[in-house]
Amino acid sequence: MTTSSETTPADAQDTSHSTPHTAFRVVHCGDGLRRCPWAVSTPGALADHDHDWGTAPSSADEYFATLTLELVDSGLARWSQSARHGSWYLHMADLEPARVSLFDEDDVDDLLVNAELIRNRAKIEAVIHNAEVCRDWDMDRWLALLEEAGVPFPGDAPEAAPDNALELPDSSTESRRLSQVLRSHGIVLVGPVTAYRWLQRIGRAPGHLAGCFRTEPGDGG
């Protein structure tokens, strides 16, 4: 696997003589793989793109963790915070809801002075609250919430991957319903845009572009 140091924006295909929209299509990287254009913006974005973004969770804890990452990144530039994701796992008990739910006010104060994190009290307290809500949820409970919101299962009339990053929407009918469903079950600070980003992260909405190696059969995503 190519490391982040081996694939940089300089490795991407030159688009200086192309139309403006070409810059938002897949790029041909130095390791021979085609990726979404945002993947080559930073090493953190590259790792997220290649391994996590668009990958279905394999456990209830992963559902909570992926939702948490989109919650703490909400309101910020897309993929700009990818490099911080490991720090959330490191400093918030591997983002395991049963453990995060035990965090108290002193823990919050410690997190707020941690330069490796997004120091936003409302977001941190929301993560702890959500952990308390879903600490006993299993995979079936998470899947039932998605079904309640009418989110299609992978393979059920899947949406085609767009050709251009500008065609990726900020929200959808399903994400608006999902935001309401999550709120009705006690989950806070997840609006329609954050909900849509979560659906993209867990592979339940298009998040990679046509031609990206992550959209190819057998890529493991």
Side-chain angles (χ1 to χ4, degrees), residues 57-58 111 158 176:
S58 59
L111 293 170
R176 289 187 283 275

Side-chain angles (χ1 to χ4, degrees), residues 42-157:
T42 66
L46 178 66
D48 192 17
H49 172 276
D50 283 7
H51 302 291
D52 300 322
W53 185 256
T55 302
S58 59
S59 70
D61 284 358
E62 285 187 16
Y63 272 101
F64 171 76
T66 53
L67 182 62
T68 294
L69 293 179
E70 292 311 317
L71 187 160
V72 297
D73 286 356
S74 64
L76 303 173
R78 279 191 169 192
W79 304 291
S80 65
Q81 302 300 310
S82 298
R84 295 180 185 261
H85 289 176
S87 296
W88 288 104
Y89 283 92
L90 177 64
H91 298 290
M92 290 200 78
D94 287 329
L95 295 183
E96 296 175 6
R99 297 169 62 194
V100 175
S101 66
L102 301 177
F103 278 39
D104 58 22
E105 194 65 28
D106 289 339
D107 294 313
V108 173
D109 290 339
D110 289 341
L111 293 170
L112 286 172
V113 297
N114 190 325
E116 296 180 25
L117 305 177
I118 299 166
R119 291 173 285 184
N120 182 306
R121 181 179 290 274
K123 289 183 177 181
I124 291 172
E125 290 180 342
V127 171
I128 297 170
H129 168 85
N130 291 343
E132 294 170 349
V133 170
C134 68
R135 60 178 298 167
D136 296 322
W137 291 5
D138 58 14
M139 284 279 285
D140 288 342
R141 180 69 181 276
W142 284 102
L143 293 173
L145 290 177
L146 293 168
E147 184 177 1
E148 184 179 344
V151 177
F153 281 97
D156 291 351

